[in-house]
Amino acid sequence: METIKNTTWLNLYNNHSTKNNVKHKETEEQSVYFFILDYSKNTVLFVNSAFTTITGYNNENFDLNFLTEIIHKDDLDYFLEKEEQGINFTSKIQYNDHFRYIKKYSYRIIKADGSSVRVAQESQALEINEHGNLSKALIMHKIINPDAFCKHTDYKIFDKVQNMYLDLNNNFNLTNRELEILTLIKQGLSSKQISDLLNVSNNTIQTHRKNILAKTNSNSFIELVKKLSYSDY
């Protein structure tokens, strides 16, 4: 099987890597830069010129070691923790599902002039290999308001198919399928609609519903929804 590529983001990469092919607005040039990460070799393949404009550093110096060196010392442990969390998530999915998710979190970097800025990092799959594993990713850094940071809500994974953020706490230890069904129940779908959508029997959905109520110690989904208003499952 050949490698599978996210053509939308490849077009973005190709446009930016060709001189004078795309002309950025000045405001965008000063607030966003991106780079291409090769997971198979753990190297940076490309970083666009906005990196120099924003940080003051030379593009040629940019690699993963350099990135960790310019991260604010108080944010480095947080960065490493969230990277590990992202790797754990990525290791559980395969093939086109990689293109479904965008991982987001933020941290501070130190610019060449010694000042610091907070960057919101967004990472999504650019290419997967013949084994269905992530091989290349597009990483975007956008300068954001430093006061916008909240540790409890900073790390997010956006599901482009469901058009919603995943729950990452899972305090009730639900399985991935149970989480999926619970999300659909919260959206107002009936058991029949869920069984049709997921292409499983209605009895299977009923079993999952019973297990969800048992795990969450709830008598009904009305009660469970009230619980979820206070605790992100």
Side-chain angles (χ1 to χ4, degrees):
M1 180 182 293
E2 297 181 354
T3 57
I4 304 174
K5 301 179 180 181
N6 182 336
T7 54
T8 300
W9 292 108
L10 277 178
N11 289 337
L12 176 65
Y13 166 48
N14 291 331
N15 287 341
H16 281 79
S17 60
T18 303
K19 281 188 175 181
N20 301 321
N21 203 11
V22 173
K23 189 174 183 179
H24 290 290
K25 294 180 181 178
E26 183 178 355
T27 53
E28 182 180 8
E29 188 80 17
Q30 293 177 346
S31 63
V32 180
Y33 64 88
F34 71 87
F35 56 95
I36 308 296
L37 179 61
D38 187 333
Y39 278 93
S40 62
K41 299 178 181 178
N42 206 30
T43 58
V44 173
L45 299 179
F46 172 83
V47 57
N48 75 322
S49 59
F51 171 73
T52 297
T53 304
I54 293 171
T55 67
Y57 297 114
N58 191 318
N59 280 24
E60 295 179 359
N61 296 331
F62 188 86
D63 58 20
L64 293 181
N65 288 331
F66 186 77
L67 175 60
T68 57
E69 289 175 1
I70 66 174
I71 292 176
H72 194 290
K73 62 181 180 62
D74 292 338
D75 291 359
L76 184 56
D77 286 344
Y78 179 76
F79 166 80
L80 296 174
E81 174 191 332
K82 296 310 171 185
E83 283 298 298
E84 183 177 1
Q85 191 172 347
I87 291 171
N88 289 338
F89 175 82
T90 301
S91 67
K92 298 175 183 177
I93 55 179
Q94 286 191 320
Y95 294 104
N96 285 333
D97 277 349
H98 284 288
F99 300 131
R100 176 173 175 169
Y101 302 105
I102 304 175
K103 298 188 289 291
K104 305 180 181 183
Y105 69 100
S106 69
Y107 50 88
R108 291 168 294 176
I109 61 172
I110 306 300
K111 297 167 60 176
D113 63 8
S115 63
S116 67
V117 291
R118 179 168 291 278
V119 294
Q121 175 172 297
E122 295 189 4
S123 171
Q124 61 181 302
L126 190 65
E127 182 178 306
I128 58 178
N129 62 24
E130 66 274 14
H131 303 296
N133 300 319
L134 179 64
S135 59
K136 294 182 178 66
L138 175 72
I139 316 293
M140 300 189 73
H141 283 179
K142 181 177 182 179
I143 307 301
I144 61 172
N145 185 338
D147 297 327
F149 175 73
C150 176
K151 187 173 183 179
H152 298 293
T153 59
D154 183 60
Y155 185 80
K156 303 174 183 177
I157 298 179
F158 185 72
D159 184 340
K160 293 186 287 185
V161 174
Q162 293 288 341
N163 194 31
M164 63 183 294
Y165 287 98
L166 301 183
D167 165 63
L168 300 175
N169 295 322
N170 193 11
N171 293 326
F172 296 120
N173 197 30
L174 302 179
T175 66
N176 289 338
R177 179 61 100 182
E178 289 167 349
L179 287 170
E180 185 176 22
I181 291 171
L182 179 54
T183 297
L184 295 173
I185 291 172
K186 289 174 65 180
Q187 292 175 357
L189 275 67
S190 67
S191 294
K192 177 64 167 59
Q193 290 172 317
I194 295 173
S195 67
D196 291 342
L197 181 64
L198 300 182
N199 196 28
V200 297
S201 71
N202 189 61
N203 287 338
T204 298
I205 299 301
Q206 293 299 332
T207 298
H208 282 304
R209 290 176 67 108
K210 290 178 182 178
N211 290 339
I212 292 170
L213 291 177
K215 285 185 177 182
T216 58
N217 194 28
S218 303
N219 294 316
S220 68
F221 280 94
I222 294 176
E223 178 185 339
L224 177 54
V225 169
K226 289 181 180 179
K227 288 182 180 180
L228 297 180
S229 66
Y230 298 102
S231 171
D232 290 330
Y233 56 91

